[in-house]
Amino acid sequence: MDAMTEFLHPGLVLIFGGLIAAPLRGAARAALVLLAPLAAMVLVWMAPEGAIWHAQFLGYELTPFAVDKLSRLFALIFSIMAFGGALFALNRDNRIELPAALVYAGSAVGVALAGDLVTVFVYWELMAIGSTLVIWSAGTSQSRAASFRYLMIHLLGGVLLMAGIAGHVAASGSLALGHIALDTPAHWLILAGFLINAAAPPLSAWLPDAYPEASWSGTVFLSAFTTKTAVYVLLRSFAGTELLVYVGLFMVFYGIVFALLENDMRRILAYSIVNQVGFMVTGIGIGTEMALNGAAAHAFTHIIYKGLLLMSAGSVLHMTGKRKCSDLGGLFQTMPFTATCGIIGALAISAFPLTSGFVSKSMISQAAVDGHLYAVWLLLAAASAGVFLHAGIKFPWFVFFQKDSGLRPPEPPLNMRLAMFLFSALCIGLGIFYEPLYALLPYSANYVPYDGAHVVGQLQLLLFSGLVFFLMLPMLRRTPTITLDVDWLYRRAGPAVVAVCAGALSRGLATLGTEARDWGAALLRWTKRWHGPASVLARTQSTGAMALWISVLLALYLVMYYA
């Protein structure tokens, strides 16, 4: 316990900061929600490597606070995101959202710094509660319904994870968070629980269903933590699992297809999260040091550029009240700063040279080449072109540059512009000065992203995909439509099936009740016949007849006894 008092846990600083901020208002609240993430960043950076906290639970050793290079990398970016998101959301007039977001962020840091599976599970479930409250706090009927659907899916994932952990501990006797082989049903359950949070199909529709229903600021927080904590635990537990290569590639193209079909700007970016996490999951499945470094680096840079993109979209939503691409266009005229930041984020997600996405995503592609996985490399290259189509061009073009919508909104408030400027600077800064990021990676990174083959190849890919976009622009113009995903099964078909089943069950119970009443009446008639006031057994019998029957029964007893 002495060590527990020597080093403060950065996740708990964020969680308690959120709880304390809940009743505060004004400058005190603003100062607290900004200082708590800054304090968490300092604590993450200063924490020594190794197991810092120890505890006993039911005879098992717990390590609630442990640090190595991988955990420091994720805890640091989660703290940075908490600060940037809080700065962006300062003028959000809601008592619940910011406190819940800090609890959510602190729980993600807790997962990153956990050294055992029980601690992971506790923070995992707390993260589900915090994120549900962030969605619910938007205050609309759509957000409340989406938050309950979101919670339902994540509770399912939590149940699978807990069952898997219980089976793993029963078989191995250890709670340590480390590499897990897919050799038992319990380990498959753990993988399923992790993949649900990673938004792997078929249970991925919770992400585009719920995230766009949060407020203009809430979606920024949501984009960062749930899926990236899943990437972190997959890096810890299932690195090199070949199945993840196929799961990741499916996620990559699944996200691209649905993002190209979408009309809602935040749903486009939500599907883009599925797509980008697919790159990370593919790298984890490849499992080499280069691939794992690439997955970790891409998670780091993705949090920043996706936060920037959603800040840009959130600013548009906040200032116009519009979220459909078909209702937007021409906003660069009065929102040039927001448009510029959105373009920087779009270039970063497209892995454009001199942006952060280029120095991280190219490591995953290089790992595929080094492993002679040429089909994987080719698919990742094709997916990179698809990313440029749906997020690199489609989002900024239809929101800021397409046919003028007639809207003339001003730029968002200062705090929102400062947050976008910070993340824009990080996107460009990490793309140019990538060595500090590489130094944080779990393995030694000798990779040089800026050589002729990488730069020229990526520029060719992006420029030709841009040409395809504008040649096919008439086919890509947005119309006021919606896209149907797997969530339709539990949003629309599910209630219909439940109604049919409930009707059949009600009719069955009614029939069973009728049969039960008929059987009860028959039993009552039989009872009255034999035991009623006028029944045979209730009649008065003579003494002689009773003596005769007793004698007969006694004789039968003696015969049976001696026989």
Side-chain angles (χ1 to χ4, degrees):
M1 294 299 294
D2 292 337
M4 295 179 69
T5 59
E6 185 176 352
F7 297 101
L8 290 175
H9 193 297
L12 294 181
V13 169
L14 284 170
I15 290 171
F16 284 108
L19 296 176
I20 295 170
L24 299 180
R25 305 292 285 177
R29 176 189 175 99
L32 181 58
V33 298
L34 293 178
L35 289 176
L38 289 174
M41 274 186 259
V42 173
L43 290 171
V44 168
W45 191 258
M46 294 180 61
E49 290 196 4
I52 299 175
W53 290 5
H54 298 276
Q56 292 289 324
F57 177 71
L58 300 177
Y60 294 99
E61 178 78 15
L62 300 185
T63 313
F65 188 4
V67 179
D68 63 8
K69 296 190 74 173
L70 183 63
S71 60
R72 193 190 306 275
L73 175 76
F74 276 83
L76 182 62
I77 189 55
F78 289 155
S79 302
I80 292 172
M81 183 65 227
F83 175 79
L87 178 60
F88 185 75
L90 276 184
N91 56 338
R92 167 83 170 123
D93 187 20
N94 185 281
R95 283 186 175 272
I96 297 175
E97 184 179 293
L98 262 175
L102 288 187
V103 171
Y104 180 29
S107 302
V109 173
V111 172
L113 297 176
D116 63 87
L117 290 167
V118 168
T119 304
V120 166
F121 177 77
V122 170
Y123 284 118
W124 196 265
E125 295 302 284
L126 187 58
M127 195 167 55
I129 295 171
S131 53
T132 299
L133 289 174
V134 171
I135 300 167
W136 181 83
S137 64
T140 65
S141 59
Q142 293 87 349
S143 67
R144 286 189 289 270
S147 68
F148 284 117
R149 293 191 296 270
Y150 175 91
L151 183 62
M152 176 180 67
I153 294 295
H154 285 278
L155 290 180
L156 170 63
V159 169
L160 295 177
L161 179 59
M162 187 69 256
I165 291 172
H168 172 76
V169 173
S172 66
S174 173
L175 284 172
L177 176 61
H179 186 267
I180 297 174
L182 283 179
D183 53 2
T184 66
H187 294 165
W188 280 93
L189 288 174
I190 293 175
L191 178 62
F194 290 166
L195 287 178
I196 286 176
N197 271 31
L203 289 179
S204 63
W206 59 263
L207 194 157
D209 171 36
Y211 283 12
E213 300 305 332
S215 71
W216 49 267
S217 54
T219 309
V220 175
F221 288 104
L222 293 166
S223 70
F225 303 119
T226 299
T227 50
K228 260 57 77 184
T229 52
V231 169
Y232 169 77
V233 291
L234 287 172
L235 277 163
R236 281 278 182 213
S237 304
F238 294 100
T241 301
E242 184 179 354
L243 173 66
L244 294 180
V245 174
Y246 306 108
V247 172
L249 289 174
F250 187 81
M251 292 174 68
V252 165
F253 289 97
Y254 177 91
I256 289 173
V257 170
F258 275 92
L260 287 172
L261 294 173
E262 256 303 329
N263 183 37
D264 186 309
M265 63 177 176
R266 293 201 298 172
R267 281 178 65 88
I268 293 171
L269 298 177
Y271 278 116
S272 180
I273 295 174
V274 179
N275 161 263
Q276 293 295 294
V277 173
F279 280 93
M280 302 168 209
V281 172
T282 302
I284 295 169
I286 294 172
T288 62
E289 290 188 358
M290 174 73 78
L292 298 179
N293 271 346
H298 202 49
F300 191 101
T301 60
H302 173 264
I303 288 174
I304 296 171
Y305 63 64
K306 185 48 61 74
L308 176 59
L309 284 166
L310 285 165
M311 286 177 184
S312 176
S315 297
V316 171
L317 177 62
H318 182 52
M319 302 311 294
T320 67
K322 307 288 186 181
R323 51 189 284 183
K324 301 285 189 180
C325 291
S326 52
D327 297 330
L328 297 168
L331 301 186
F332 76 95
Q333 299 175 74
T334 55
M335 301 182 73
F337 180 83
T338 302
T340 302
C341 292
I343 291 170
I344 292 172
L347 292 175
I349 196 175
S350 304
F352 201 86
L354 301 181
T355 65
S356 57
F358 178 79
V359 303
S360 59
K361 188 186 293 184
S362 58
M363 296 179 75
I364 301 174
S365 299
Q366 185 62 45
V369 173
D370 293 343
H372 306 291
L373 302 172
Y374 298 116
V376 174
W377 172 81
L378 185 61
L379 290 170
L380 291 177
S384 296
V387 172
F388 192 47
L389 285 176
H390 78 261
I393 302 180
K394 177 182 175 179
F395 165 70
W397 176 259
F398 285 118
V399 173
F400 296 107
F401 298 104
Q402 73 163 341
K403 183 179 178 181
D404 193 353
S405 62
L407 299 172
R408 295 293 182 268
E411 292 283 10
L414 177 62
N415 63 291
M416 299 170 70
R417 283 177 279 150
L418 288 174
M420 287 190 284
F421 176 79
L422 170 64
F423 276 33
S424 297
L426 287 173
C427 284
I428 296 174
L430 290 174
I432 299 173
F433 306 104
Y434 54 87
E435 292 88 353
L437 172 60
Y438 284 6
L440 292 172
L441 297 178
Y443 302 102
S444 177
N446 299 317
Y447 177 68
V448 179
Y450 290 107
D451 63 18
H454 288 140
V455 173
V456 173
Q458 187 67 8
L459 286 175
Q460 287 177 333
L461 188 70
L462 296 179
L463 291 175
F464 276 104
S465 61
L467 177 62
V468 169
F469 176 85
F470 287 106
L471 289 176
M472 299 180 63
L473 189 58
M475 299 174 60
L476 294 173
R477 290 194 183 279
R478 293 295 85 214
T479 56
T481 58
I482 61 171
T483 53
L484 297 180
D485 203 339
V486 178
D487 61 324
W488 180 86
L489 295 175
Y490 55 82
R491 294 180 64 181
R492 292 291 183 266
V497 171
V498 169
V500 170
C501 293
L505 180 62
S506 178
R507 291 189 295 271
L509 291 175
T511 302
L512 183 62
T514 302
E515 293 291 333
R517 286 194 297 272
D518 293 342
W519 279 95
L523 179 62
L524 182 61
R525 289 193 298 271
W526 182 87
T527 303
K528 286 184 176 180
R529 177 182 176 186
W530 290 98
H531 299 280
S535 67
V536 174
L537 297 177
R539 294 173 187 169
T540 302
Q541 304 289 335
S542 65
T543 303
M546 293 297 294
L548 176 62
W549 282 110
I550 290 173
S551 300
V552 170
L553 292 173
L554 181 59
L556 289 173
Y557 174 77
L558 290 173
V559 170
M560 293 176 65
Y561 177 78
Y562 287 108

